[in-house]
């Protein structure tokens, strides 16, 4: 059985929308796209390379898939640790609107996403990786289907935009597995799902 990990770029106020460019996602009138780019130093690059060294498959939401499919197939250097994995490994896209996909190795998941992903985890081995795909991630978090969170917390507050942990998020406990900070101040945290939260009192 495979595990499912999520790598997500977040601001200090929990926004994940459009980290990579001004026009990546302007939904809701969002005008702060590209907020992660100034922090992309060598430390951060090494962290991304480490994460991309592990997957056996990828799971993406429709919007993230469109962004990736428009960029990574054009990067053909076999020494590129990100492009080589994204172009070679199986990719599964949760979508109700996409009818076909030209990126080699892509399979569309068009049924009930919770059932589809649960079945995918059962049928595969190794680590299935999600990157971005915040809407899909929220759905899967609500059903305990994400095992590991790689949360990259950037030192910026935006005050608007889509948030990963929004009102109604299912209460879940996590165990901190790893923590480090890049030279530009990005906090890199890895958490493993640990069940439901425990409660107490200081009284």
């Amino acid at each position: 059985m495979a595990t499912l990990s999520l790598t997500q770029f977040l601001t200090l106020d929990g926004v994940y929308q459009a980290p990579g460019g001004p026009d990546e996602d302007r939904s809701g009138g969002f005008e702060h796209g590209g907020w992660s780019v100034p922090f992309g130093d060598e430390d951060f690059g090494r962290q991304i390379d480490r994460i991309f060294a592990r997957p056996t498959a990828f799971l993406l939401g429709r919007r993230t898939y469109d962004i990736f499919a428009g960029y990574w197939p054009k990067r053909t250097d076999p020494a590129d640790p990100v492009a080589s994995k994204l172009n070679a490994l199986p990719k599964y896209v949760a979508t109700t609107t996409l009818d076909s996909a030209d990126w080699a190795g892509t399979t569309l998941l068009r049924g009930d996403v919770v059932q589809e992903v649960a079945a995918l985890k059962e049928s595969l081995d190794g680590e299935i990786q999600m990157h971005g795909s915040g809407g899909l991630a929220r759905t899967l978090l609500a059903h305990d289907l994400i095992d590991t969170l790689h949360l990259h917390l950037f030192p910026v507050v935006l005050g608007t935009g889509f948030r990963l942990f929004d009102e109604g998020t299912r209460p879940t406990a996590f165990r901190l597995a790893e923590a480090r900070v890049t030279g530009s101040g990005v906090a890199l945290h890895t958490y493993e799902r640990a069940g439901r939260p425990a409660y107490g009192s200081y009284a």
Side-chain angles (χ1 to χ4, degrees), residues 36-83:
S36 77
V37 176
F39 302 96
D41 60 8
E42 290 185 4
D43 287 344
F44 190 72
R46 282 191 290 268
Q47 170 71 357
I48 297 300
D49 290 350
R50 289 174 64 231
I51 290 173
F52 273 90
R54 297 193 301 264
T56 52
F58 296 96
L59 172 65
L60 302 170
R62 165 66 191 272
R63 185 181 297 276
T64 299
Y65 176 79
D66 285 345
I67 293 169
F68 280 19
Y71 180 83
W72 290 111
K74 303 171 186 175
R75 303 302 186 268
T76 57
D77 181 357
D80 185 321
V82 177

Side-chain angles (χ1 to χ4, degrees), residues 93-171:
V93 184
T95 179
T96 58
T97 58
L98 197 63
D99 294 322
S100 62
D102 295 330
W103 195 2
T106 298
T107 299
L108 303 182
L109 304 180
R110 299 182 57 83
D112 179 277
V113 69
V114 172
Q115 295 179 9
E116 293 268 19
V117 172
L120 193 64
K121 291 180 67 177
E122 288 283 353
S123 65
L124 299 180
D125 294 317
E127 179 182 341
I128 306 169
Q129 288 190 355
M130 291 180 61
H131 294 269
S133 308
L136 175 61
R138 288 200 303 269
T139 297
L140 299 182
L141 283 166
H143 291 85
D144 291 334
L145 285 171
I146 297 178
D147 304 292
T148 303
L149 298 176
H150 300 295
L151 302 183
H152 298 163
L153 195 62
F154 290 75
V156 60
V157 171
L158 299 179
T160 186
F162 299 142
R163 288 171 170 80
L164 181 62
F165 302 111
D166 214 340
E167 186 74 22
T169 297
R170 185 175 189 178

